[in-house]
């Protein structure tokens, strides 16, 4: 037993000899590399936080498509609030590629709100033809948000508003003061619980 311990200790000493200088040099270098990586991440996060704060304060900041997801969301919201949706599209695609579902849902809600605001502006101007597709795009954005985050109350409420808005549009091409044509075949069949045919 003593001989085995003595032999094992000698083998370990022999193995430790060549490894020791490598570890003495390698461990400090690895620690320095890790410290540099942490410092780089802290610098990146600090820059991102400053840019997010500036965007939320209404100051325009350029954002690259490979930025952190939170910064992409802040830029998308900034652009959507100013109806610059063409600029927001590539950022939305980048966020969809790497962002968390909650952040992606918030981006879709911001885009849907922007489309709905544009639709309301067209409706106030009496331009139904251009308002209808905007409402459709808003509804799509809200549905995407709800698939990502089903509990998003804002998306549910705004989807309901957009759906009612489409349903409440007057018929296209109808002049002011014209009466709507009633189709006798569908009057009774549209009422739930009523039999088909004559009353």
């Amino acid at each position: 037993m003593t001989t085995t311990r003595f032999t094992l200790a000698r083998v370990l000493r022999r193995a430790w000899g060549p490894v020791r200088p490598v570890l003495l040099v390698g461990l400090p270098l690895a620690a320095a590399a890790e410290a540099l990586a942490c410092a780089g991440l802290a610098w990146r996060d600090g820059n991102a936080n400053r840019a997010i704060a500036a965007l939320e304060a209404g100051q325009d900041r350029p954002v690259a498509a490979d930025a952190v997801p939170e910064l992409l969301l802040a830029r998308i919201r900034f652009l959507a609030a100013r109806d610059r949706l063409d600029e927001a599209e590539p950022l939305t695609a980048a966020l969809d590629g790497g962002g968390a579902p909650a952040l992606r849902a918030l981006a879709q809600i911001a885009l849907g709100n922007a489309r709905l605001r544009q639709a309301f502006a067209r409706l106030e101007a009496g331009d139904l033809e251009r308002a209808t597709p905007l409402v459709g795009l808003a509804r799509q954005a809200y549905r995407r948000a709800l698939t990502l985050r089903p509990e998003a109350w804002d998306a549910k409420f705004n989807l309901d508003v957009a759906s009612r808005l489409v349903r409440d549009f007057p018929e296209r091409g109808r002049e002011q003061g014209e009466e709507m044509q009633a189709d006798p075949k569908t009057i009774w069949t549209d009422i739930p619980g009523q039999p088909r045919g004559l009353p």
Side-chain angles (χ1 to χ4, degrees):
M1 186 77 174
T2 311
T3 311
T4 308
R5 283 186 186 166
F6 177 71
T7 308
L8 184 59
R10 195 165 23 170
V11 168
L12 288 174
R13 253 183 273 144
R14 282 184 191 162
W16 175 249
V19 171
R20 184 174 178 215
V22 173
L23 287 176
L24 289 175
V25 172
L27 285 176
L29 286 177
E34 190 173 334
L36 282 174
C38 288
L41 289 174
W43 179 78
R44 183 198 70 178
D45 290 346
N47 280 345
N49 286 337
R50 284 188 291 278
I52 289 169
L55 287 165
E56 288 177 352
Q59 302 167 9
D60 197 359
R61 293 285 186 271
V63 173
D66 60 348
V68 295
E70 292 81 5
L71 182 54
L72 288 173
L73 174 62
R75 176 72 172 163
I76 290 166
R77 284 177 154 175
F78 175 86
L79 294 171
R82 286 148 185 83
D83 292 332
R84 293 163 55 184
L85 299 177
D86 291 339
E87 295 175 57
E89 291 298 329
L91 299 177
T92 305
L95 183 62
D96 286 341
L103 297 178
R104 292 164 53 204
L106 290 172
Q108 290 298 325
I109 291 170
L111 294 174
N113 291 346
R115 297 283 188 204
L116 203 54
R117 277 193 310 272
Q118 290 175 343
F120 278 125
R122 298 278 187 256
L123 286 173
E124 288 173 2
D127 190 358
L128 296 179
E129 290 295 325
R130 290 172 64 187
T132 304
L134 291 170
V135 172
L137 290 171
R139 290 173 63 195
Q140 285 177 2
Y142 295 136
R143 283 193 184 111
R144 280 190 209 118
L146 287 170
T147 58
L148 293 165
R149 219 175 136 208
E151 71 279 3
W153 188 86
D154 288 346
K156 289 178 188 177
F157 181 82
N158 292 349
L159 177 61
D160 184 51
V161 169
S163 298
R164 288 172 190 258
L165 191 63
V166 168
R167 189 176 61 218
D168 294 341
F169 276 162
E171 284 183 33
R172 287 189 199 159
R174 194 173 134 225
E175 296 297 324
Q176 180 119 8
E178 273 187 31
E179 290 185 22
M180 291 177 63
Q181 296 292 328
D183 185 3
K185 294 179 184 175
T186 61
I187 289 176
W188 293 103
T189 55
D190 285 350
I191 300 173
Q194 292 295 326
R196 293 182 179 271
L198 294 174

